[in-house]
Amino acid sequence: MKKGIYKLSVDCGRSGDLEGVFIATDVQVKALIDSKIEVYFGEILGKHSEVYGAIEKKEVKLLTQDINAIEVVEKYNLSNGVNPFDYGFINFEIKGVNIEDITVGEVIDLLIKSSKK
């Protein structure tokens, strides 16, 4: 698992765009995309916008895996905008596991952990 700085760019049509820069591992990003979990952003683009959906590969770009850059972003809290791992989700279940009231990031970590068994 290698950490990286990623950029999220989601086109929501005429409602607007979601953008963010965040740190995650390559395994977390792959699991996010492969699981097709629908991230629930709520009314992030204004009242009644109700934005949700699975994150596609074309919407996430690896900016760098340079350890020095990652350390600077972490040290000075330079992540900004939308981080899909920080939001809730809809229409997703893990058989035999209660995943109510947790974030997408926590679900992804559970999926990664269960795949290692």
Side-chain angles (χ1 to χ4, degrees):
M1 287 196 303
K2 204 164 184 196
K3 273 187 182 181
I5 301 172
Y6 290 87
K7 181 170 182 164
L8 177 74
S9 296
V10 179
D11 179 0
C12 297
R14 65 181 213 195
S15 296
D17 299 321
L18 299 181
E19 292 190 349
V21 175
F22 60 93
I23 294 174
T25 68
D26 52 351
V27 174
Q28 289 171 318
V29 172
K30 182 176 179 354
L32 173 68
I33 294 165
D34 291 349
S35 69
K36 300 195 183 310
I37 188 170
E38 291 188 82
V39 182
Y40 179 72
F41 297 104
E43 295 181 340
I44 196 168
L45 294 174
K47 194 165 181 140
H48 306 297
S49 62
E50 204 74 40
V51 178
Y52 60 90
I55 303 299
E56 298 177 19
K57 187 175 184 174
K58 67 181 182 180
E59 297 171 328
V60 181
K61 178 183 178 186
L62 174 63
L63 299 178
T64 185
Q65 288 183 319
D66 180 287
I67 202 127
N68 295 321
I70 294 166
E71 287 174 358
V72 169
V73 170
E74 288 177 331
K75 181 177 179 180
Y76 296 105
N77 196 25
L78 296 176
S79 294
N80 65 64
V82 177
N83 179 343
F85 293 100
D86 292 342
Y87 288 85
F89 59 92
I90 59 173
N91 305 323
F92 193 81
E93 295 178 7
I94 300 175
K95 191 172 182 170
V97 180
N98 180 2
I99 56 172
E100 290 182 31
D101 299 323
I102 64 174
T103 66
V104 168
E106 292 167 318
V107 171
I108 295 302
D109 289 343
L110 284 172
L111 289 173
I112 293 167
K113 187 177 178 181
S114 69
S115 72
K116 290 181 179 179
K117 290 182 179 179

